[in-house]
């Protein structure tokens, strides 16, 4: 029986590695974990005989991995592979798409924290110990019910988010690349990307769930931000560079929009002197919206299922379209 050489740079716990080895006796799995953000210097040394790579990274020359057939990413975005040889090669790339539930929950948490003034209450009341003169006047927040959410990029995350938002009695509108004309999907009106400008003035919450591609980079700029309501809350869980950050900074300082929840940033790590840290109308997180304690179980389920498919020649889950870039 031919050995199947699999190498992982994912940070998988031992029980996950054991589950992957347990998929079939012919699997020979090696593991040298890298953090998702660690510069992947030297990963080539492990790839000479590898057919299947489980990784967050693929910054190597193809000559270092002559037998590589399939790259399973531990994350979703493949924007960091732009210009990398693997994207020009015939290696099959699959991504994770296991972030729909944790990110949908994160978006709802951010929206409600903003609507219900949690940051201000934690700062002034809990940390400052100041009982308000009139808490109804000072802290009465906004209702989600009756508001409109616009989801920019109606993929796996957007669809999960829409279901929760609709259960909160919100109206949900969305855009997706392949929508040639307006369609209704599960109670959500889905429009083509060019319709976004018309939708924005009606949005109370605008959630950017876009991959970073040549098309989407900088696609939320001054015109889009100025088209939003002055009270709108903009949440970005896609990629930082989809939004023109200089324009966003002005929008937040000058009140073109009400506030922003930003999990992704044009520069990662976000530098300590970033002006976004000083804005009272921003809820910032360090690119972790997709990571909950269930991550390792979910990514292991996916890897095991895709390995089974790979070994039987069945179509793999979550194949990345290299032309489209997601
Ligand atoms: N913050 C985090 O921790 C985190 C974690 C996971 C993912 N992400 C980011 O979130 C992105 C989306 O994830 P996903 O799992 O939902 O991906 P997905 O299922 O591939 O969905 C991407 C969606 O974006 C749409 N799209 C692409 N270009 C567009 C455009 N120009 N205008 C409007 N819609 C466009 C696609 O349209 P079609 O359906 O028509 O193709 C698709 O619906 C990922 O690519 C990644 O960058 C971030």
């Amino acid at each position: 029986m031919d050995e199947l050489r699999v190498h992982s740079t994912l940070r998988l716990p031992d029980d996950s590695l054991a589950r992957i080895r347990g998929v079939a006796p012919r699997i020979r799995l090696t593991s040298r974990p890298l953090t998702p953000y660690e510069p992947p210097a030297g990963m080539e040394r492990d790839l000479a005989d590898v057919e299947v790579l489980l990784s967050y990274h693929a910054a190597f020359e193809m000559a270092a991995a002559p037998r590589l057939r399939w790259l399973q990413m531990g994350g979703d975005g493949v924007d960091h592979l732009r210009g990398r040889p693997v994207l020009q090669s015939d290696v099959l790339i699959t991504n994770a798409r296991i972030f729909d539930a944790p990110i949908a929950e994160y978006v709802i948490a951010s929206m409600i924290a903003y609507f219900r003034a949690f940051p201000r209450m934690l700062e002034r009341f809990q940390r400052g110990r100041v009982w308000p003169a009139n808490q109804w006047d000072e802290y009465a927040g906004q209702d989600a019910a009756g508001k409109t959410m616009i989801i920019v990029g109606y993929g796996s995350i957007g669809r999960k988010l829409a279901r929760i938002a609709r259960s909160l009695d919100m109206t949900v509108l969305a855009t997706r690349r392949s929508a040639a004309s307006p369609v209704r999907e599960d109670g959500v009106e889905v429009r083509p990307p060019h319709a976004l400008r018309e939708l924005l003035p009606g949005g109370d919450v605008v959630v950017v769930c876009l991959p970073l591609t040549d098309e989407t980079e900088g696609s939320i700029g001054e015109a889009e931000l100025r088209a939003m309501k002055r009270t709108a809350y903009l949440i970005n869980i896609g990629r930082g560079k989809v939004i023109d950050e200089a324009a966003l900074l002005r929008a937040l300082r000058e009140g073109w929009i009400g506030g922003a929840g930003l999990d992704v940033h044009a520069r990662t790590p976000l530098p300590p002197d970033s002006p976004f840290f000083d804005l009272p109308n921003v809820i910032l997180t360090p690119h972790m919206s997709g990571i909950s304690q269930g991550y390792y179980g979910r990514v292991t389920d996916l890897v095991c299922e895709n390995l089974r498919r790979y070994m039987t020649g069945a179509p793999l889950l979550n194949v990345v379209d290299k032309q489209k870039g997601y």
Side-chain angles (χ1 to χ4, degrees):
M1 189 173 24
D2 285 352
E3 177 179 273
L4 177 61
R5 272 292 287 121
V6 182
H7 179 71
S8 170
T9 76
L10 306 180
R11 294 193 309 156
L12 295 173
D14 288 347
D15 64 317
S16 290
L17 296 173
R19 281 184 57 202
I20 294 169
R21 289 190 177 103
V23 168
R26 59 180 282 238
I27 291 176
R28 187 160 75 81
L29 172 68
T30 50
S31 163
R32 192 193 296 270
L34 298 170
T35 71
Y37 303 113
E38 193 178 315
M43 70 183 287
E44 289 88 349
R45 69 191 150 167
D46 293 317
L47 303 180
D49 64 344
V50 165
E51 182 172 335
V52 179
L53 176 62
L54 318 174
S55 185
Y56 306 109
H57 307 287
F60 48 80
E61 294 300 326
M62 294 315 294
R67 298 182 163 193
L68 189 64
R69 295 286 166 271
W70 164 37
L71 166 64
Q72 168 69 60
M73 305 295 295
D76 261 9
V78 292
D79 43 284
H80 59 289
L81 300 184
R82 289 192 290 180
R84 298 286 183 196
V86 75
L87 213 55
Q88 269 75 58
S89 76
D90 58 4
V91 169
L92 187 70
I93 302 178
T94 52
N95 66 2
R97 292 195 195 138
I98 51 173
F99 303 101
D100 55 342
I103 293 191
E105 290 170 18
Y106 168 97
V107 168
I108 298 294
S110 182
M111 175 186 82
I112 292 181
Y114 179 77
F115 276 177
R116 301 300 295 269
F118 269 61
R120 200 151 46 88
M121 277 194 279
L122 289 172
E123 187 72 23
R124 296 229 306 247
F125 174 57
Q126 187 165 339
R127 255 174 243 115
R129 301 174 188 228
V130 179
W131 189 269
N134 180 331
Q135 63 268 44
W136 288 22
D137 284 352
E138 208 167 313
Y139 294 126
Q142 305 182 54
D143 298 297
K147 294 228 171 21
T148 296
M149 177 182 281
I150 296 172
I151 298 175
V152 192
Y154 195 57
S156 72
I157 296 168
R159 288 193 292 274
K160 178 76 177 179
L161 173 62
R163 285 202 291 279
I164 306 179
R166 291 188 70 234
S167 76
L168 295 174
D169 294 328
M170 301 182 78
T171 299
V172 182
L173 309 170
T175 61
R176 70 186 290 184
R177 188 172 182 271
S178 58
S181 54
V183 281
R184 262 193 110 66
E185 291 181 31
D186 301 326
V188 176
E189 186 179 314
V190 184
R191 303 268 205 100
H194 65 76
L196 180 63
R197 204 75 77 74
E198 293 156 34
L199 296 181
L200 286 173
D204 299 294
V205 182
V206 177
V207 189
V208 178
C209 303
L210 289 173
L212 178 62
T213 64
D214 293 346
E215 247 174 55
T216 65
E217 186 157 358
S219 62
I220 308 288
E222 175 164 352
E224 288 71 24
L225 292 161
R226 284 195 186 276
M228 290 179 206
K229 288 187 184 182
R230 292 180 73 83
T231 51
Y233 185 56
L234 172 68
I235 302 177
N236 188 8
I237 59 80
R239 284 290 180 264
K241 287 182 180 163
V242 167
I243 300 184
D244 173 347
E245 270 197 355
L248 177 59
L249 198 57
R250 287 182 56 212
L252 289 162
R253 283 180 171 152
E254 296 171 17
W256 312 349
I257 63 175
L262 305 174
D263 183 50
V264 287
H265 317 280
R267 277 179 67 192
T268 300
L270 189 63
D273 62 352
S274 164
F276 285 98
F277 283 111
D278 301 318
L279 297 175
N281 50 350
V282 170
I283 300 178
L284 288 179
T285 52
H287 197 160
M288 46 56 65
S289 60
I291 301 301
S292 63
Q293 290 174 8
Y295 169 76
Y296 294 107
R298 283 191 287 269
V299 80
T300 307
D301 289 346
L302 172 69
V303 167
C304 291
E305 175 59 25
N306 261 349
L307 271 170
R308 274 182 219 108
R309 288 169 178 246
Y310 183 77
M311 287 184 295
T312 57
L316 301 193
L317 299 173
N318 306 340
V319 175
V320 170
D321 183 325
K322 293 180 182 174
Q323 293 304 316
K324 289 199 286 187
Y326 62 94

